[in-house]
Amino acid sequence: MTKKIIVCTNYRANPNNPSCMARGSQEIFAALTQQLAQENMPITVEESPCLGFCEIGPNLRLMPSGTFFHEVSDKKLSLIIKKAKLFLKQQ
Ligand code: FES
């Protein structure tokens, strides 16, 4: 099965109702896509509907069945890329 990273880009306009896109997941998606391309990594990044952790977003996940990452910011991208490299080596 193809490995990928899914990024929740669900948006809710109501500020009392948190959502990953309202917390910057679109920018995370763009930055992650760019950095993975620079590293020439054979993994895709895809937008995802709500992953069920809206209170601690932006959220993303290694797929299939990989690690979740919560409260993702630019500062966490290098860690996520390291984990993705290990994930790619797994069967
Ligand atoms: S809105 Fe992203 S996990 Fe629910």
Side-chain angles (χ1 to χ4, degrees):
M1 189 179 285
T2 307
K3 292 184 176 175
K4 60 188 176 183
I5 300 174
I6 57 171
V7 180
C8 173
T9 53
N10 186 41
Y11 178 71
R12 296 186 186 100
N14 183 344
N16 297 321
N17 216 349
S19 64
C20 291
M21 187 173 312
R23 293 179 174 187
S25 67
Q26 194 73 56
E27 290 77 13
I28 296 293
F29 175 85
L32 188 58
T33 301
Q34 186 180 24
Q35 289 188 30
L36 291 173
Q38 282 171 355
E39 300 252 349
N40 216 10
M41 286 174 63
I43 190 165
T44 58
V45 187
E46 292 181 9
E47 295 188 38
S48 164
C50 180
L51 297 172
F53 298 97
C54 320
E55 300 283 342
I56 50 174
N59 298 296
L60 57 84
R61 187 179 191 191
L62 297 170
M63 294 292 287
S65 303
T67 308
F68 276 99
F69 297 90
H70 307 291
E71 297 181 325
V72 174
S73 66
D74 280 350
K75 290 178 190 161
K76 280 194 179 174
L77 291 185
S78 58
L79 169 71
I80 290 165
I81 289 169
K82 271 187 204 162
K83 296 269 186 181
K85 284 178 180 172
L86 293 174
F87 187 66
L88 285 170
K89 289 180 184 170
Q90 298 170 357
Q91 290 192 352

